[in-house]
Amino acid sequence: MEADLLDCFETNKILLSTLGFPLFEPISRVTVTTKNEGIFMIKSKEIVADGNLIDDGFVVFKGSEAKLNTTPSCHKYLIDLRIFLQEKV
C-alpha cells in the first residue's frame, strides 16, 4: 500500500508542477532571496511571517504564522477576499 501511495504522490507532484503549481517542490530561502531583492516581513504582537516574490508568485517561508481570525482594523475588502478564499477551498 505504501508503494502505491508513493507512486500516486509522485504522479500528482509531476502533474501539479506541469500545470504550474509546484506545491511539493522544495524551495530554499537562499535561492529565493538571490533572485529578488529583500524579504517581505510582517511582525505584530502575536505573529511573525516572512516571504518573497518569485517568478511564479509569492512564497511564504516555513515557520511563518497567520492569524486565525480577522481583527476589527482589517479592511472590508481583505475580509471579503479571505471569506472568498476560504469558501473556495
Side-chain angles (χ1 to χ4, degrees), residues 49-62:
D50 56 346
N52 203 343
L53 290 170
I54 62 170
D55 295 336
D56 296 329
F58 192 83
V59 173
V60 177
F61 293 132
K62 182 178 181 177

Side-chain angles (χ1 to χ4, degrees), residues 6-7 9 11 16 20 31 40-41 47 52 80 84-85 88:
L6 290 173
D7 184 50
F9 176 78
T11 302
L16 286 169
T31 305
F40 294 94
M41 179 177 276
I47 65 163
N52 203 343
D80 293 342
F84 170 75
L85 292 171
K88 190 175 179 181

Side-chain angles (χ1 to χ4, degrees), residues 9-65:
F9 176 78
E10 284 300 317
T11 302
N12 287 325
K13 181 178 169 183
I14 292 168
L15 179 61
L16 286 169
S17 293
T18 303
L19 294 173
F21 301 101
L23 299 177
F24 301 110
E25 297 297 324
I27 186 164
S28 72
R29 193 177 291 233
V30 175
T31 305
V32 172
T33 56
T34 56
K35 287 185 176 182
N36 299 305
E37 293 183 20
I39 295 175
F40 294 94
M41 179 177 276
I42 184 168
K43 284 185 178 184
S44 75
K45 296 178 207 170
E46 302 168 16
I47 65 163
V48 175
D50 56 346
N52 203 343
L53 290 170
I54 62 170
D55 295 336
D56 296 329
F58 192 83
V59 173
V60 177
F61 293 132
K62 182 178 181 177
S64 293
E65 303 168 322

